[in-house]
Amino acid sequence: MAVQSSAIQPSPTAGRHPDFAAQLQQWQARIERELSARLPAVDVQPNRLHAAIRYSVLGGGKRVRPALVYATGAAIGVPESILDGAACAVELIHAYSLVHDDLPAMDNDDLRRGRPTCHKQFDEATAILVGDSLQCLAFELLAEGPGLPADPSVRLKLVRLLAIASGTGGMAGGQALDLAAIGRKLSLAEVEEMHVRKTGALIHACVMMGAACAPQLPENITRALDEYARAIGLAFQIQDDLLDVEGDVAVIGKATGADRALDKPTYPSVAGVEPSRQRMHELHTRALSALARLDAAGLQSAPLAAMSDWLVLRKY
Ligand code: GRG
């Protein structure tokens, strides 16, 4: 199998944001550099844990979440230099969730981003510690790391947003619902609730954390961003479910059909493939219409519109 390229696919959004592919690649390169600078070095003890941390975070993934933080900043005029800390923190939480999700006690996956999963490359105990350490580091960065507004009240807001999105009301709770759903029939409303928490909450937090770095942002713009972020969070997970049914394993970098193999209810398994696609496009349209309020206020919706296009049209 081909190792998943770290390069972003050419953008299908050329009309809305002609330089989007180049912009994404710049954000992707930036986050790789910023993450690398914040991770412990391999030659520092405990070396094996640090090697596993760097293996799990660097050199792969689409970097959707950091890109969303930067795209929000680009839309509302916050410089990247004071978004880096938030972009790193959210990607570290995401990386931790993938490492733990792949463990035998959860989804038991051997392949992630076209490479052996952390517990396969190292061992289970190390993978558990990688997740624990990444979660702590994410909050340490928000509390006192570089690349964020200096204002302590902004940092506190960022900690709060990320903690709520990661905890039982968000990602961890969504994962619990996901595990409890194995072999059961769920209603569509229950599947949506699971998706909104497991994946949508962290996607939503990326946008709201970018917005929090502009403390003077008018309330109506914050509300528009909130609506946009909720819509793309769910749309992203529906596309993930669709890719699990229809995706190309060599492009995705992990096995397809995993949800069916685990007997997990997904959007397409409950609603059907075509209605799932329709729901995803409806959410995409809702996200774009929320962004119209940014343009009306003289802000730049194009980076966020292009992100939404990419998330629903992506092939991995
Ligand atoms: C272990 C608390 C805990 C939570 C795990 C994120 C998650 C919850 C599980 C991952 C399983 C999964 C496939 C979730 C669906 C959506 C998702 C998060 C996909 C992976 O995110 P991408 O596509 O991955 O952004 P890359 O590799 O590009 O970073």
Side-chain angles (χ1 to χ4, degrees):
M1 171 184 308
V3 170
Q4 183 182 314
S5 161
S6 63
I8 298 277
Q9 289 171 316
S11 166
T13 63
R16 227 188 287 280
H17 188 317
D19 304 325
F20 183 62
Q23 176 63 89
L24 266 175
Q25 279 174 11
Q26 184 249 311
W27 286 333
Q28 194 181 37
R30 183 178 184 100
I31 197 65
E32 191 75 13
R33 212 169 48 237
E34 296 294 325
L35 285 167
S36 181
R38 286 164 173 82
L39 293 177
V42 176
D43 60 5
V44 171
Q45 280 283 14
N47 314 83
R48 185 174 164 80
L49 176 58
H50 291 165
I53 284 175
R54 297 187 76 88
Y55 176 85
S56 302
V57 175
L58 300 176
K62 297 179 289 298
R63 308 305 193 192
V64 165
R65 293 154 192 80
L68 271 170
V69 175
Y70 292 130
T72 304
I76 60 178
V78 181
E80 290 169 3
S81 58
I82 59 164
L83 294 165
D84 290 325
C88 286
V90 84
E91 186 67 7
L92 294 184
I93 293 288
H94 170 59
Y96 123 69
S97 79
L98 297 181
V99 169
H100 278 192
D101 182 71
D102 290 335
L103 283 166
M106 298 217 192
D107 275 8
N108 195 17
D109 278 315
D110 295 349
L111 200 61
R112 169 71 62 188
R113 296 173 170 170
R115 297 188 299 176
T117 47
C118 181
H119 67 277
K120 283 281 165 192
Q121 183 74 11
F122 294 87
D123 54 75
E124 280 181 40
T126 302
I128 292 169
L129 291 171
V130 165
D132 296 342
S133 310
L134 292 177
Q135 187 170 188
C136 294
L137 181 57
F139 289 103
E140 182 186 329
L141 294 181
L142 295 181
E144 62 175 22
L148 281 175
D151 182 349
S153 70
V154 171
R155 286 180 184 254
L156 185 59
K157 193 166 182 189
L158 294 171
V159 166
R160 183 175 173 275
L161 285 166
L162 190 58
I164 290 172
S166 309
T168 61
M171 188 179 73
Q175 179 76 346
L177 295 176
D178 177 286
L179 293 170
I182 292 173
R184 283 183 50 223
K185 286 211 179 320
L186 294 189
S187 67
L188 200 53
E190 288 172 316
V191 173
E192 283 212 359
E193 175 66 14
M194 177 174 88
H195 283 7
V196 162
R197 289 192 187 199
K198 185 175 88 165
T199 318
L202 199 60
I203 296 278
H204 176 259
C206 297
V207 176
M208 300 324 284
M209 288 170 77
C213 291
Q216 308 307 328
L217 202 63
E219 184 53 35
N220 68 319
I221 300 301
T222 307
R223 270 201 305 277
L225 289 172
D226 175 76
E227 208 173 304
Y228 163 85
R230 281 178 205 284
I232 60 160
L234 180 56
F236 177 83
Q237 180 58 57
I238 296 176
Q239 176 62 349
D240 206 74
D241 285 357
L242 286 165
L243 287 173
D244 193 62
V245 178
E246 310 177 310
D248 177 346
V249 66
V251 178
I252 298 176
K254 61 178 184 179
T256 53
D259 295 327
R260 202 170 341 114
L262 288 169
D263 198 11
K264 274 189 183 182
T266 63
Y267 219 96
S269 77
V270 174
V273 167
E274 216 28 65
S276 300
R277 204 170 281 128
Q278 271 171 25
R279 175 75 173 131
M280 183 178 72
H281 285 295
E282 180 191 306
L283 289 160
H284 178 46
T285 305
R286 184 184 300 173
L288 297 179
S289 75
L291 290 180
R293 281 178 262 157
L294 270 67
D295 294 319
L299 300 171
Q300 298 292 324
S301 71
L304 287 171
M307 281 299 298
S308 184
D309 288 343
W310 176 49
L311 295 186
V312 301
L313 294 170
R314 72 199 167 96
K315 297 288 174 242
Y316 73 90

